C-alpha cells in the first residue's frame, strides 16, 4: 500500500477520493489550506492533515515529505485574467516540490478536449498537464469530460437547467458531443493508479460508454428523474458570456462557475483511446452508462432519508451522494423553513406534545388552513386528513398521522414525518427538542425537494402561507406543553 497525498481534499473529487483510498488500505495525507473544513467529515480522523498552499514552495515541499503518490486535484474555476497564471504557478511549485521530495508518481485529473481552439478553462488544464508531464516525476494525466455525480459542477448545471426549464432556448453548444463519465468510474481510475507498478508518464482519456450531445443528456436526465420530455431549441445568438449569466439567472449555479463550463461546451470532448484499461482494468459489468450514473446521483433524493442526508455532516454516504464540503448549490434544490424557540418548559413536556401531534389533537396552528389543505388533497386523489392516528399519545415508525407518515422517531428528541399528500416533490416535517444549558429549545423544519418546475412554483406560491402556518406552531406547542 502507498503513502498518498491528496490536494483539494475539500473539493468535489478530493473529498470522495480520500475514503476510497482509505478503504483500500492506503495511508492518506490531505494537503489543505483550511483544515477546519475537514473536521466534520467522517474520515478526517483516519488521515494525516497538513496545512499548505500549493503556491508556497516551502510548505508544499514539507507536505510531500515521505509521499509516494501525489494527487493533484487543484484547479481554479473562476474567471478573470489571473486564474491561468495562478494555476501555472501552483503546478510548477508542486512539480518542483515533488521532485525534491522523491515522489514516485503524480496523478492529475485534467479536462478532455478535441485539440481545437480551447476555452480558457480547458487551455489552463492542458497547460497544467504539460507541466507535470515535463517534470522529472512520472505523471499520469487522466482527462475527463462531464463527470456525473451529485456535487459535480457540470452535473449540477445539467440538473438545474433540466429540472427548472421544460422548454429551453439554448446556444449551439447544446449539440456538441461529449462522453460523460460516472464519478464512481473516475474514482476507480484515480484509486487504481496508486497501485500500478512501474514508471508511466502520459495522458489517458477516460469516459463512460455513451457519446451524447448536451441535449441528449438533458433529455436523458429528464427521463431518469421522471420528468416530462424537455423541448430544446438551439439558437446561434447566445454567447458564452450571455449563456453563463442566463444559467446564473435560472439556476443556483453562480455565473462565475457557469461561464468556464459553458465556454468548454463548445469543444467536442470524446475519448480518442481507452488505453487506461491496460493498467486499471474495467469492471466485469463494464463502465457505468449515463442513465445509471444519473440514477445513482438521484438515488438519495428518492430514498426516505434524504432529509438527514442534506443536514448531516457526518453521513459517510456513497460517491454519488452530497458531501458537507460541496457548495450550497450542489445536491439538487432543497427548500427549508426552519423555526426555533427557546423556553423554560421541561423538554419532557414539549416532547409529549410533539408525540401527540395530529389527529384529534390537531397541528397547533390555523386548524381551518389544515382542513382546507386536507380537502384539496382529497380532491386530487390524496389521502387528506381522514386517517388520523393509531394511538392518541404514542407513535412508532410507520404510523400514519393524517397525510403524514412517521419516518423516524427518537423518543424524547426527534420526530420526522414524510408527506404522503399529492405533491410535485418530496416533503418532510421534522420536530425536535433539546436542552441548551438551562433552556429547552424546540426546533421545527419543513423540508421540500421540488420535482421539476411545478415543484419550484408550488413552494414559492405557498411561501407566504408557511409564515402563518409553520410560524405559529412553535409558540402554540410550547404554550400547550406549559399548560399540560
Amino acid at each position: 500500500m502507498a503513502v498518498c497525498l491528496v490536494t483539494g481534499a475539500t473539493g468535489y473529487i478530493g473529498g470522495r477520493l480520500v475514503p476510497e483510498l482509505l478503504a483500500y488500505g492506503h495511508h492518506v495525507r490531505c494537503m489543505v489550506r483550511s483544515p477546519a473544513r475537514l473536521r466534520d467529515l467522517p474520515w478526517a480522523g483516519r488521515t494525516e492533515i497538513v496545512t499548505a498552499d500549493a503556491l508556497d514552495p516551502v510548505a508544499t515541499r514539507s507536505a510531500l515529505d515521505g509521499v509516494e503518490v501525489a494527487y493533484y486535484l487543484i484547479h481554479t474555476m473562476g474567471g478573470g485574467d489571473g486564474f491561468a497564471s495562478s494555476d501555472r504557478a501552483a503546478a510548477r511549485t508542486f512539480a518542483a516540490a515533488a521532485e525534491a521530495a522523491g515522489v514516485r508518481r503524480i496523478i492529475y485529473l485534467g479536462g478532455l478536449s478535441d485539440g481545437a481552439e480551447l476555452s480558457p478553462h480547458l487551455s489552463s488544464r492542458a497547460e497544467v498537464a504539460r507541466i507535470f508531464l515535463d517534470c522529472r516525476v512520472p505523471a499520469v494525466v487522466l482527462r475527463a469530460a462531464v463527470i456525473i455525480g451529485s456535487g459535480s459542477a457540470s452535473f449540477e448545471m445539467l440538473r438545474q437547467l433540466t429540472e427548472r426549464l421544460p422548454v429551453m432556448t439554448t446556444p449551439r453548444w447544446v449539440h456538441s458531443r461529449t462522453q460523460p463519465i460516472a464519478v464512481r468510474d473516475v474514482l476507480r481510475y484515480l484509486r487504481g493508479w496508486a497501485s500500478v507498478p512501474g514508471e508511466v508518464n502520459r495522458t489517458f482519456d477516460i469516459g463512460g460508454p455513451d457519446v451524447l450531445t448536451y441535449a441528449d443528456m438533458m433529455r436523458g436526465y429528464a427521463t431518469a428523474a421522471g420528468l416530462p420530455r424537455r423541448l430544446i431549441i438551439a439558437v446561434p445568438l447566445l454567447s458564452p458570456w450571455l449563456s453563463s449569466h442566463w444559467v446564473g439567472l435560472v439556476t443556483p449555479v453562480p455565473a462565475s462557475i457557469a461561464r468556464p463550463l459553458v465556454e468548454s461546451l463548445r469543444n467536442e470532448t470524446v475519448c480518442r483511446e481507452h488505453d487506461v484499461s491496460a493498467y486499471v482494468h474495467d469492471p466485469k459489468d463494464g463502465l457505468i452508462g449515463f442513465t445509471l450514473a444519473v440514477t445513482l446521483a438521484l438515488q438519495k433524493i428518492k430514498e426516505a432519508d434524504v432529509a438527514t442526508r442534506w443536514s448531516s455532516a457526518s453521513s459517510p454516504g456513497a460517491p454519488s451522494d452530497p458531501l458537507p464540503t460541496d457548495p450550497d448549490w450542489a445536491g439538487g434544490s432543497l427548500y427549508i423553513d426552519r423555526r426555533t424557540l427557546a423556553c423554560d418548559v421541561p423538554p419532557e413536556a414539549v416532547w409529549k406534545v410533539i408525540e401527540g401531534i395530529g389527529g384529534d389533537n390537531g397541528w397547533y396552528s390555523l386548524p381551518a388552513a389544515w382542513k382546507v389543505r386536507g380537502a384539496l388533497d382529497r380532491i386530487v386523489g390524496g389521502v387528506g386528513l381522514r386517517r388520523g392516528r393509531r394511538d392518541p399519545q404514542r407513535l412508532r415508525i410507520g404510523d400514519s398521522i393524517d397525510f403524514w407518515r412517521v419516518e423516524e422517531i427518537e423518543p424524547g428528541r426527534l420526530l420526522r414525518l414524510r408527506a404522503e399528500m399529492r405533491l410535485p416533490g418530496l416533503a418532510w416535517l421534522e420536530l425536535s427538542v433539546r436542552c441548551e444549558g438551562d433552556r429547552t429549545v424546540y426546533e421545527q423544519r419543513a423540508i421540500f425537494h421540488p420535482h421539476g418546475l411545478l415543484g419550484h412554483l408550488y413552494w414559492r406560491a405557498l411561501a407566504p402561507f408557511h409564515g402563518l402556518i409553520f410560524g405559529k406552531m412553535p409558540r402554540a406547542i410550547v404554550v400547550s406543553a406549559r399548560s399540560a
Side-chain angles (χ1 to χ4, degrees), residues 363-397:
W363 294 88
Y364 299 95
S365 69
L366 300 178
W370 285 91
K371 289 180 180 179
V372 169
R373 185 63 185 88
L376 291 174
D377 192 53
R378 291 283 300 275
I379 290 172
V380 297
V383 297
L385 299 176
R386 59 186 172 181
R387 298 189 303 191
R389 292 174 53 110
R390 174 190 60 85
D391 184 296
Q393 295 180 317
R394 296 288 179 262
L395 290 175
R396 62 190 181 192
I397 292 176

Side-chain angles (χ1 to χ4, degrees), residues 443-455:
E443 182 171 348
Q444 168 188 302
R445 298 195 311 157
I447 305 166
F448 183 67
H449 177 76
H451 187 63
L453 178 62
L454 185 59

Side-chain angles (χ1 to χ4, degrees), residues 125-410:
R125 289 206 163 195
E127 182 179 18
V128 169
R130 286 194 298 272
I131 290 171
F132 288 133
L133 292 171
D134 291 342
C135 78
R136 294 175 182 171
V137 178
V140 171
V141 176
L142 303 177
R143 307 195 315 160
V146 176
I147 298 176
I148 305 299
S150 183
S152 160
S154 297
F155 177 74
E156 294 301 335
M157 189 171 77
L158 171 72
R159 182 212 301 263
Q160 298 289 353
L161 285 174
T162 310
E163 286 273 353
R164 292 170 180 245
L165 299 176
V167 179
M168 287 172 269
T169 302
T170 60
R172 287 178 295 184
W173 51 252
V174 78
H175 294 308
S176 297
R177 295 194 313 154
T178 188
Q179 195 163 346
I181 182 170
V183 64
R184 297 181 185 220
D185 281 330
V186 174
L187 295 174
R188 184 177 54 79
Y189 285 131
L190 288 169
R191 182 196 71 228
W193 274 103
S195 304
V196 174
E199 292 190 2
V200 181
N201 191 71
R202 57 162 291 186
T203 64
F204 295 92
D205 293 352
I206 59 173
D210 304 310
V211 176
L212 306 166
T213 66
Y214 207 80
D216 292 333
M217 291 195 294
M218 287 176 169
R219 296 188 181 102
Y221 178 94
T223 300
L227 299 170
R229 182 178 175 83
R230 272 27 192 165
L231 177 61
I232 300 170
I233 304 170
V235 295
L237 302 178
L238 289 175
S239 67
W241 183 85
L242 286 173
S243 297
S244 62
H245 283 278
W246 169 67
V247 171
L249 178 66
V250 300
T251 80
V253 181
S256 60
I257 299 295
R259 183 168 184 177
L261 297 176
V262 168
E263 288 175 335
S264 300
L265 290 173
R266 72 190 184 203
N267 294 99
E268 186 171 274
T269 51
V270 177
C271 297
R272 290 175 290 184
E273 43 83 10
H274 188 54
D275 297 349
V276 69
S277 62
Y279 299 88
V280 180
H281 302 310
D282 291 343
K284 292 181 179 179
D285 296 334
L287 300 173
I288 298 172
F290 175 78
T291 301
L292 178 56
V294 172
T295 301
L296 291 170
L298 298 178
Q299 193 66 43
K300 290 302 175 186
I301 296 174
K302 296 176 181 178
E303 290 183 5
D305 63 350
V306 64
T308 54
R309 287 293 178 184
W310 254 276
S311 61
S312 172
S314 60
S315 299
S320 304
D321 294 350
L323 285 182
T325 50
D326 289 343
D328 293 340
W329 42 264
S333 298
L334 198 72
Y335 295 110
I336 300 177
D337 182 286
R338 179 183 282 106
R339 314 274 173 166
T340 59
L341 180 63
C343 63
D344 56 3
V345 181
E348 298 82 7
V350 177
W351 174 255
K352 185 176 180 181
V353 176
I354 290 174
E355 193 174 8
I357 202 165
D360 293 337
N361 297 326
W363 294 88
Y364 299 95
S365 69
L366 300 178
W370 285 91
K371 289 180 180 179
V372 169
R373 185 63 185 88
L376 291 174
D377 192 53
R378 291 283 300 275
I379 290 172
V380 297
V383 297
L385 299 176
R386 59 186 172 181
R387 298 189 303 191
R389 292 174 53 110
R390 174 190 60 85
D391 184 296
Q393 295 180 317
R394 296 288 179 262
L395 290 175
R396 62 190 181 192
I397 292 176
D399 278 359
S400 61
I401 308 178
D402 298 328
F403 43 48
W404 303 90
R405 188 167 297 279
V406 178
E407 181 178 279
E408 183 63 61
I409 183 168
E410 298 178 17

Side-chain angles (χ1 to χ4, degrees), residues 432-449:
S432 64
V433 61
R434 66 181 184 274
C435 291
E436 289 188 0
D438 59 351
R439 304 281 282 174
T440 296
V441 177
Y442 167 84
E443 182 171 348
Q444 168 188 302
R445 298 195 311 157
I447 305 166
F448 183 67
H449 177 76

